[in-house]
Amino acid sequence: GAVVIPAGDVHFEGAGIGKTIFRFNHFTQGIRLGGEADSGSRYVHVFRNATIERPNYAAYTGTIGPKSLYISNSRNGLVEDIDMSGSIGYGIQFDYSDTYVMVRRCYVHDHFGGSSVAAGTDGIHFYRTKDFWAIENTVARVGDDAISCGTFNFAYPVSNGHILFNKIYNTQGTIKMYTKVSGVTVKGNYIDG
């Protein structure tokens, strides 16, 4: 099943991409740091230098949703130098988070749906999150948007975002901002296909 740490600070430092590998053969969440509701508290979450993969993702037949790396109730959160493939839901998602949360230098690729329409298989997604950064990531062959931000809950507006110097290849959508978003800078990104 999923690796779940419901509350508290987390600092995970792997040995490197291809050296520390989380391989999931189930179809539920992969790794979850924080609860799935707003706890009112924020924790420092750092997750670096590892590979996360689902080699059997093409066999999945359920609804889109199980995330590979879901981080919520985070402050000063950092996801860095992660190679992620085979997601059946969002690859990397921050939720209910604020104050300098960042996804940097990650390679997020080959998610459920390939480059066909598969809503909910974004590469990197900031939901109900403020003060976020997506910098120098590469997103390729995902079934929905490469990098997205937004909320359907107006009590948690998304603001002060920075989507900078990312590379995007062959995705269904590229960079998306939707519903109750303000103050997001998009600069220096490369999009192909």
Side-chain angles (χ1 to χ4, degrees):
V3 175
V4 177
I5 301 170
D9 293 345
V10 174
H11 188 109
F12 175 82
E13 179 84 31
I17 291 173
K19 295 178 182 174
T20 299
I21 301 172
F22 293 89
R23 185 171 291 131
F24 298 109
N25 60 5
H26 58 77
F27 294 127
T28 59
Q29 283 186 349
I31 299 168
R32 177 165 55 90
L33 308 178
E36 294 182 283
D38 186 354
S39 70
S41 298
R42 300 292 182 257
Y43 302 97
V44 176
H45 297 120
V46 176
F47 198 91
R48 304 180 65 226
N49 297 318
T51 296
I52 301 171
E53 60 185 32
R54 290 182 195 259
N56 62 342
Y57 76 100
Y60 182 68
T61 59
T63 58
I64 301 303
K67 288 88 174 149
S68 286
L69 178 57
Y70 175 81
I71 300 174
S72 67
N73 297 289
S74 186
R75 176 165 288 138
N76 298 320
L78 173 64
V79 176
E80 183 177 60
D81 297 319
I82 299 296
D83 181 331
M84 175 176 296
S85 63
S87 290
I88 55 178
Y90 297 138
I92 300 169
Q93 181 181 15
F94 272 97
D95 194 5
Y96 298 114
S97 297
D98 58 55
T99 314
Y100 203 71
V101 295
M102 179 180 292
V103 179
R104 180 172 55 199
R105 292 192 314 260
C106 293
Y107 179 34
V108 182
H109 58 102
D110 299 298
H111 285 194
F112 187 69
S115 61
S116 64
V117 177
T121 57
D122 295 355
I124 300 167
H125 187 75
F126 299 93
Y127 188 56
R128 298 178 286 212
T129 294
K130 296 179 181 179
D131 195 17
F132 63 88
W133 303 75
I135 301 177
E136 298 175 347
N137 300 288
T138 299
V139 183
R141 298 172 304 280
V142 301
D144 202 356
D145 303 302
I147 301 170
S148 62
C149 61
T151 182
F152 294 115
N153 184 334
F154 287 180
Y156 297 94
V158 172
S159 63
N160 194 27
H162 311 274
I163 301 173
L164 310 172
F165 308 110
N166 300 282
K167 295 178 182 175
I168 298 169
Y169 302 95
N170 193 26
T171 59
Q172 181 64 27
T174 55
I175 298 169
K176 178 172 78 176
M177 291 163 270
Y178 67 95
T179 316
K180 204 62 176 170
V181 176
S182 64
V184 176
T185 300
V186 178
K187 179 179 177 182
N189 299 283
Y190 175 83
I191 299 169
D192 186 2

